[in-house]
Amino acid sequence: MDRLIITDVAPRDGLQNQPVTIATADKLRLIDLLVQAGVQSVEATSFVSPKAVPQMADAAEVTAQLLERQPQLRSSVLVPNLKGLERAHAAGAREIAVVLSATETMNRKNINMGLDQATTVSEETVRAALGLGMRTRAYVAVAFDCPFEGATPQARVVELARRMLDCGAQEVVIADTIGAASPGMVRERTRALLEHIPAEQLAMHFHDTRGMAVANAWAAVEEGVRRFDASVGGIGGCPFAPGAAGNAATEDLVLMAERSGLSTGIDLMGLLAAVDFAQDLLQRPLGGRSATWLRRQRDKQLESLAAAA
Ligand code: HMG
Ligand code: MG
């Protein structure tokens, strides 16, 4: 069966901007629950300035402990520069993700570099990671709309994505940072990208600000994309992109895939256990658009089990 490969970015994108402090042990427990649900790839944390993102200050502990607990799990860590790479490597990380935005202003707000410098630093970081034998992903953020500069030119997104692959990144992740894309835009941009990038190296990362994330993912699926980022419970958002809401919820993407003849290897009831855990952690109701329906299915299953006992 045709397969969708989902990277759950909740431990990084989902937790990076939460108002409540989350203990390292709870971050690891969330990842354990994702693995129990069948998730095979996560973005575990980020090695960024703890002044910029205090919630990720325990990146080294998360990385080292995760390696011990889940040695088989594919897990990436976000790094913005060589210093981040050095810290990630020292902690034992085997895969990094660099974060390049497609506009001047978004790079300045996010990583305090202009577009040219951010591109050069991302290239240097990818090359250095390869030299250390690490796997690499490269985000191209604000790939549809930028909160500061408006519509992002398609040609620039394609060029930056291609540059990331040319310097050795194994996967490029096209990110709709503020959830501004719609299926028609996704279809057009995906076609343009696939003229220059093999589908096996292309991933999509949708935020759900306008409720379009699942529709956008489906448009990309129809164009041949099979790799997606998503976040359990739909949590997430870049702290430096005003208006960014949570990511596409993993449970919504899995339900979309499984009901459309694509396998994911992920169990929806297992994901629901992770959503419930995250909800307790963040002390607010969570869950993608399918969560209410999924909870009803779980209640029905429990009732019929009780009736049979
Ligand atoms: P800066 O202030 O320009 O850095 O920040 P600097 O090189 O001038 O150094 C300043 C201080 O930071 C120094 O320490 C450095 O050592 C330290 P001091 O001498 O003051 O004690 N430093 C670091 N410390 C830890 N780890 C590092 C690091 N680098 C320098 N890697 C910097 C530049 C990039 C560090 C900063 O702007 C930063 O950390 N930004 C955080 C960016 C971030 O995490 N954004 C959210 C994630 S991106 C996202 O969510 C989008 C995504 O999901 C895709 C999408 O949806 O679009 C991926
Ligand atoms: Mg994001």
Side-chain angles (χ1 to χ4, degrees):
M1 198 198 273
D2 207 354
R3 196 173 178 87
L4 221 63
I5 297 161
I6 294 180
T7 295
D8 199 305
V9 296
R12 194 276 305 165
D13 204 333
L15 299 185
Q16 68 187 0
N17 197 23
Q18 297 296 337
V20 290
T21 304
I22 300 147
T24 306
D26 287 332
K27 294 176 181 177
L28 291 161
R29 176 80 188 121
L30 178 64
I31 299 174
D32 286 346
L33 288 169
L34 293 173
V35 174
Q36 278 167 29
V39 170
Q40 294 125 41
S41 172
V42 299
E43 194 152 281
T45 185
S46 59
F47 288 85
V48 297
S49 159
K51 282 183 204 141
V53 187
Q55 199 73 256
M56 298 284 113
D58 61 353
E61 291 84 351
V62 169
T63 303
Q65 290 183 41
L66 184 59
L67 260 177
E68 270 182 36
R69 286 158 88 113
Q70 304 285 359
Q72 307 302 329
L73 178 68
R74 182 181 160 194
S75 65
S76 61
V77 298
L78 185 143
V79 307
N81 54 17
L82 286 169
K83 167 140 190 184
L85 172 66
E86 204 178 286
R87 290 178 59 216
H89 185 250
R94 295 181 295 213
E95 175 165 354
I96 59 145
V98 294
V99 56
L100 172 62
S101 296
T103 65
E104 180 73 18
T105 319
M106 190 63 228
N107 280 303
R108 290 211 178 279
K109 300 280 183 188
N110 195 36
I111 56 173
N112 197 24
M113 300 172 207
L115 177 58
D116 286 346
Q117 193 193 354
T119 308
T120 308
V121 167
S122 296
E123 286 173 332
E124 280 169 6
T125 308
V126 165
R127 285 200 198 95
L130 287 176
L132 293 167
M134 297 166 91
R135 199 174 182 283
T136 57
R137 340 170 68 206
Y139 283 102
V140 178
V142 295
F144 294 90
D145 266 29
C146 170
F148 308 104
E149 297 188 20
T152 306
Q154 177 164 290
R156 196 188 299 156
V157 174
V158 175
E159 189 207 326
L160 293 175
R162 193 56 252 173
R163 275 183 73 167
M164 289 300 102
L165 291 190
D166 288 345
C167 70
Q170 279 111 341
E171 185 175 310
V172 65
V173 189
I174 300 299
D176 181 18
T177 312
I178 54 166
S182 58
M185 291 160 78
V186 171
R187 191 176 298 281
E188 191 195 329
R189 210 145 281 207
T190 305
R191 279 186 192 157
L193 284 157
L194 285 172
E195 280 173 26
H196 302 271
I197 293 168
E200 314 80 70
Q201 291 184 281
L202 182 63
M204 298 278 179
H205 174 115
F206 292 112
H207 284 264
D208 202 25
T209 317
R210 303 185 197 181
M212 294 278 161
V214 170
N216 288 339
W218 183 248
V221 166
E222 287 197 314
E223 293 303 320
V225 176
R226 292 292 179 269
R227 291 169 186 274
F228 291 90
D229 285 2
S231 171
V232 75
I235 51 177
C238 175
F240 309 104
N247 290 70
T250 310
E251 56 274 23
D252 288 350
L253 246 55
V254 169
L255 187 62
M256 172 198 83
E258 304 275 345
R259 302 282 287 191
S260 309
L262 293 153
S263 70
T264 60
I266 302 174
D267 172 56
L268 282 163
M269 294 304 143
L271 280 182
L272 215 43
V275 176
D276 288 347
F277 178 76
Q279 198 165 265
D280 287 347
L281 214 55
L282 304 181
Q283 298 154 32
R284 61 186 168 86
L286 294 178
R289 276 146 204 280
S290 63
T292 307
W293 181 82
L294 286 171
R295 288 192 171 106
R296 271 208 307 273
Q297 305 314 300
R298 181 172 61 188
D299 291 347
K300 275 191 212 159
Q301 279 177 17
L302 292 174
E303 277 165 25
S304 58
L305 278 175

